[in-house]
Amino acid sequence: MNSVDVAARSRAWWGLAVMLGPVLLVAMDGSVLFLAMPRIAEALEPTDGQALWILDAYGFAVGALLVAFGGLGDRYGRLRLLMAGTGAFGLASVGAAFAPGPELLIVCRALMGVAGATLLPSALAVVSGLFADPRERSRAIGIFAATFAAGFGIGPVVGGWLLSGLWWGSVFLVNLPVVVGFLGLAPVLLREVRGGRGDWGDRVDLPSVVSSAVGILAVVHAVKQSAAEGADAGAVVTGVGGAVVLGWFVRRQLRLEEPLLDVRLFRDRVFAVAVATGFLPLAAWSASAYLGGVYLQSVLGLTVLQAASAALPGAVVLTVTCVVTPALVIRTGTRAALVACHLLVAAGMLVLAGIGTGGGLGWYLASTVVAGVGYGISFSVVADTAVGAVPLSRAGSAAAIAETANELGNALGIALLGSLAAWVQRLHGTGELTGVGGESGYAATSAFVVGYQVAVVVAGLLHIALGAIALRQLPRVKRGFG
C-alpha cells in the first residue's frame, strides 16, 4: 500500500470519528431529559401536557422530517445540509438551555428535532462515501449504528451526571463543544455527497410531509389531553381529525409514483415485522426510562446522580448487545433474533410489575438489564432486516422507514404509554406525573406507581403479541447480515 492510499484511509477514519459526534448528539438528545424532568419541572413548573411535549417534541420533529431531509440532502448536497443542520442544532440547544418557561423550551426542543432530522440520513451517506473498500465501509457503518444506539442508552446517564453538579440547562449546553468541533473539522476531513440525477430523494412531496406531521401531532395531542383532563369534545374532534388526515396521507402514498413513505413495502411480512420491531421496543424503552427516572427520584428518593448510576447497567448491556448481535445473527438468523428481542423486552417490562413505593430498586435494575439485551438486538437487526426484505431499488426507502420507526417509537412511547400512566394516576386521585414525592404524600406516590405498573405491563403484553407474530410469520431460513 503506497503513501497515498495510507493517507486516504487515515483521512477516512478521522472523518468517521468527526462524524460520530453529531450522530451521538442526535441519539442522546432523544433520551437525555429522562432523568432531568423532575429538575426541569421544579424550575419551570410545566403542566402535565407541557412536560410530555418537552420530552417528545424532539422525537416527533425528527421522525416526521427524517425522510424529507434525506431527499433534500440528495438534491442539494449532504455535507452542506449536515453543516447547516449541526449549526442549527447548536443554536437551538442554547435557546433550550436558557428558556425562561416551558413554552419556549418546547419550541426549542422541536427546532432541535428539525435540525436533528437533517443529520442522520446525511451523516450515513457521508460516512458511506468516505470508504472505497466494501469491508471497511461495512465496519464503518457498524460503528455508526453502535454509536447511535449508545447515544440512546447513555443519554439518561449523561443527563443525570450533569445535573448532579450543574443546573438543568447544562444538558443542552453539553452539545456545544461537539457542534463547534464538527463545524471546524468537517470542511477539512469530509467531502460533499449528492444523490444521482433522478434519485428517489430528488422529489419531496410537501403535502405528504405536512399531512403526516399534522396527523400524528393531532392524534397524540388528543391522547395526551384525554389522559390529563378527560376526553372532552375538543380532544375527540382533534383525534378524529388527525386520524382522517393520516388516512388521507396513506391514500396519497398509494397514488404517488415516488411516495414519501412507500406503504406498499409493508406487504412484505418480513419488512412489516422488522419496522414494528424498530417502533415498539423504542416505545417501551423511552416510556419506561422516563417513568423510571421519575420513580427513582420522586418515589424512592434517590439523588439524580444515584438515579444515573442505576441507569448505567442497562445502558452498558444495550451497547454491548449492539456490538455482538451481528455476529450472533449470522449463526441464528434474523427470525430467532427478532423473536428473542420481543420476549426479552417483554420479560424486562413485566419485571417492573414488582416495584412498589419502597424497595423497588432491585426490580428496576433487573428490568433494565434484561430488557437492555432486547433493545440492543432491535437496534442491531432492524435496519438490515428491513433493507434485505425489499428490492435493491427500494433499499433507501426501506432504511428511511426503519429509522423513522425508531424515532417515532421513541416519541410515541412517552406520549402514549406516558399518557396511559397519567390517566391511571388521575383515576387514583392525582394528576401530577412529575414531581411526585414527599410534598404530595403517600397517595400521590402510590397512584404514580400504579400508573407506571400499568404502562409497563401493557408494553410487555404488546411485545409478547409481536413476538408471537414474528414466530408465526417470518420464514425459518436464516437471514444473517450480508
Side-chain angles (χ1 to χ4, degrees), residues 389-430:
V390 303
L392 184 60
S393 62
R394 308 308 296 162
S397 180
I401 292 173
E403 187 57 55
T404 300
N406 282 338
E407 293 297 337
L408 290 181
N410 185 42
L412 284 171
I414 299 172
L416 301 181
L417 293 173
S419 293
L420 174 62
W423 177 69
V424 172
Q425 187 179 0
R426 188 170 62 86
L427 291 180
H428 284 71
T430 176

Side-chain angles (χ1 to χ4, degrees), residues 317-333:
V317 168
L318 188 158
T319 304
V320 171
T321 304
C322 284
V323 174
V324 303
T325 293
L328 295 176
V329 172
I330 292 175
R331 297 183 178 182
T332 65

Side-chain angles (χ1 to χ4, degrees), residues 357-375:
T357 54
L361 182 58
W363 293 106
Y364 176 83
L365 291 173
S367 169
T368 59
V369 170
V370 173
V373 179
Y375 299 141

Side-chain angles (χ1 to χ4, degrees), residues 8 15 47 57 81 117 119 134 181 236 287 295 306 348 382 403 427 432 463 477:
T47 65
L81 190 62
L119 300 181
V236 172
Y295 174 75
Q306 290 171 330
V382 164
E403 187 57 55
L427 291 180
E432 289 294 323
H463 276 88
V477 63

